[in-house]
Amino acid sequence: MTPSGGTAMRYGVILPGGTAPEQLEQAVLAERSGWDGVFVWEAGYGVDAWGLLSAMAAVTSRVRLGTMLTPLPWRRPWKVASQVATLDQLSGGRAILTVGVGALTPDLPLTGEQTDLRVRAEMMDEGIDLIRALWAGESHFSGRHYRYEVDQNDLAVAGRPVQERVPIWVVGVWPRPKSMRRVLKCDGVVPGGEMTPGAVREMRSWLSSRGAPPGLDVIAEGETPGADVAAWAAAGCTWWMETRWELPHHSPERMAEIRARIAAGPPR
């Protein structure tokens, strides 16, 4: 399957949950079964995404590894930058960071984090800029929400990612211009809201007309068999994400289901 632009679609699996050893086993199975990427989600409390991904890096050699997704306004950007750079080094340049403002769901713990959507959007924009600055070796950043200054920047060299540009994917809501402009400074878009293949075409056309590179990743997700993956590829999506979002995430039945789906391989 080749999306518009000529880039073959790649296939990732978003692990629904389970213990760290279970998810580690699933990552090894995914690489063995021909998947191109393994992604995990970040909870308020639970298995730590970046520790888990770094362990996956040690037992795999090919699959891309990342989050789907990191609620950046609820994280310290310099800490996220360190975690991603560490994963990129351990994996030999296979890290991907996916960010969003964070979803306000009933199971979200009350921790005093910012919940105002406009403020969270501002924090995410600044967070992306600060992360890029740190990966570039810069030692000063000053924004409305974040400030970072260091006199001795010796750790910047040791903490640099392997990739010249670690991909940052961001949630983008079409056709909101502000959301789309945020996509233009990133490397991929996870379309938010209800999307169709036709809407993906319109979004890609809008982004291309405003300078988005041909290699911009566009992510589609769903469950196969059932979903029409070919339609999403023809519309210009570059990644298919196999998902199993329904609760419960960690039951033995769900773990058996996801292992079976991973073992069957991607929907090529």
Side-chain angles (χ1 to χ4, degrees):
M1 299 179 190
T2 304
S4 58
T7 301
M9 178 172 265
R10 286 174 284 184
Y11 302 88
V13 58
I14 304 174
L15 303 184
T19 65
E22 285 175 322
Q23 294 187 67
L24 195 61
E25 175 195 9
Q26 291 163 12
V28 173
L29 178 60
E31 179 163 273
R32 188 185 309 139
S33 302
W35 295 86
D36 300 304
V38 176
F39 297 81
V40 301
W41 52 286
E42 290 204 59
Y45 175 80
V47 175
D48 177 69
W50 297 103
L52 177 61
L53 290 167
S54 292
M56 290 176 179
V59 295
T60 61
S61 61
R62 180 184 56 79
V63 288
R64 301 301 297 261
L65 299 167
T67 51
M68 190 62 70
L69 48 71
T70 295
L72 192 55
W74 297 333
R75 304 288 186 264
R76 298 298 186 190
W78 44 88
K79 183 64 174 177
V80 174
S82 300
Q83 292 167 320
V84 178
T86 300
L87 172 64
D88 205 53
Q89 290 184 8
L90 291 173
S91 66
R94 292 183 281 138
I96 294 173
L97 171 63
T98 309
V99 297
V101 295
L104 300 178
T105 60
D107 60 344
L108 184 71
L110 299 177
T111 59
E113 297 290 349
Q114 179 61 245
T115 59
D116 182 84
L117 180 59
R118 182 186 60 80
V119 176
R120 281 184 288 144
E122 291 176 354
M123 294 172 72
M124 185 166 71
D125 286 334
E126 279 192 20
I128 292 170
D129 292 341
L130 175 51
I131 288 170
R132 286 288 185 210
L134 290 172
W135 288 343
E138 297 179 22
S139 56
H140 299 275
F141 181 90
S142 181
R144 180 176 179 181
H145 300 282
Y146 299 115
R147 178 184 175 188
Y148 186 92
E149 293 185 21
V150 59
D151 292 330
Q152 298 294 328
N153 207 25
D154 298 338
L155 295 177
V157 175
R160 293 285 288 276
V162 172
Q163 297 178 85
E164 183 176 346
R165 183 176 175 89
V166 175
I168 296 180
W169 296 347
V170 65
V171 173
V173 181
W174 172 256
R176 298 180 185 174
K178 187 173 183 179
S179 185
M180 289 295 104
R181 285 194 293 270
R182 181 179 297 119
V183 172
L184 289 172
K185 68 177 183 178
C186 294
D187 308 283
V189 54
V190 181
E194 296 294 328
M195 290 291 285
T196 64
V200 169
R201 290 189 185 92
E202 293 174 1
M203 180 183 69
R204 279 211 83 113
S205 176
W206 189 97
L207 291 168
S208 296
S209 69
R210 286 155 179 81
L216 180 79
D217 281 315
V218 179
I219 289 79
E221 63 177 71
E223 296 187 17
T224 58
D228 189 353
V229 180
W232 292 105
C237 292
T238 60
W239 276 84
W240 172 261
M241 294 293 169
E242 190 73 24
T243 62
R244 294 293 188 276
W245 288 124
E246 296 83 2
L247 292 170
H249 295 305
H250 312 292
S251 68
E253 294 78 14
R254 177 53 55 83
M255 291 299 98
E257 176 190 345
I258 193 65
R259 278 195 298 271
R261 181 62 197 89
I262 292 171
R268 288 192 170 90

